Amino acid sequence: MLETFAFYALPFSFTLLVACAMTAIVSGFVLILLRLRKTNEIFRHPYLKQHAWERYPLSVRATILLDYFLRISFPTRTFWIIGQANRLLAHVQPADVPSRIKWPLIGLWGGCFVGIIAMILLWSLILLTMNV
């Protein structure tokens, strides 16, 4: 039973992992190279009122982009970091953000999060089938 499941699940999880990686890479390049300035103008993150984008370290820049993603994806949630992003970006209405700004953010962070799940699934299947 496990052998049959693993026969189909291993290639699927690997393919999903590669697809997520490619989606995140392409979306990240489009976002950083083409749409970053316009994205920051539309969302107007409160951190950017204190310092310019270039002055922040990479971790804070990624956090700002994650806040944008969370505001677009979960606009009504109020718990944990999703709620914090919604409080920081309460002035942004997700329906008013153009889709050419949304898709690189969703592709970048969605690819990362789904890719993490696919990687955990892949390694779990590899470890389960090693003794079969």
Side-chain angles (χ1 to χ4, degrees), residues 2 23 37 48 51 63 71 81 85-86 97 101 110-112 117:
L2 179 66
T23 301
R37 184 176 309 262
L48 298 178
H51 297 290
T63 302
R71 179 65 180 155
I81 60 172
N86 285 331
V97 177
I101 300 298
C112 289
I117 294 168

Side-chain angles (χ1 to χ4, degrees), residues 4-127:
T4 306
F5 174 74
F7 179 74
Y8 293 107
L10 269 169
F12 175 74
S13 61
F14 178 74
T15 304
L16 182 62
L17 178 64
V18 171
C20 289
M22 298 308 275
T23 301
I25 289 169
V26 169
S27 297
F29 279 138
V30 168
L31 180 64
I32 298 299
L33 296 177
L34 301 175
R35 306 256 165 78
L36 187 60
R37 184 176 309 262
K38 187 67 174 169
T39 301
N40 285 333
E41 288 173 2
I42 289 175
F43 281 96
R44 298 183 322 270
H45 200 284
Y47 292 172
L48 298 178
K49 292 178 184 174
Q50 297 172 356
H51 297 290
W53 173 264
E54 295 80 21
R55 294 200 52 203
Y56 283 114
L58 182 62
S59 60
V60 176
R61 292 180 195 176
T63 302
I64 291 171
L65 293 176
L66 180 61
D67 284 346
Y68 295 165
F69 167 75
L70 294 173
R71 179 65 180 155
I72 290 171
S73 300
F74 309 103
T76 61
R77 304 292 190 254
T78 59
F79 66 96
W80 200 37
I81 60 172
I82 299 171
Q84 177 66 21
N86 285 331
R87 283 186 290 278
L88 286 173
L89 299 170
H91 59 278
V92 177
Q93 295 303 320
D96 296 339
V97 177
S99 61
R100 62 192 269 301
I101 300 298
K102 286 181 185 178
W103 78 260
L105 290 167
I106 293 173
L108 174 67
W109 287 106
C112 289
F113 293 137
V114 175
I116 289 171
I117 294 168
M119 188 181 338
I120 291 170
L121 176 66
L122 178 67
W123 280 105
S124 300
L125 288 169
I126 289 172
L127 291 174

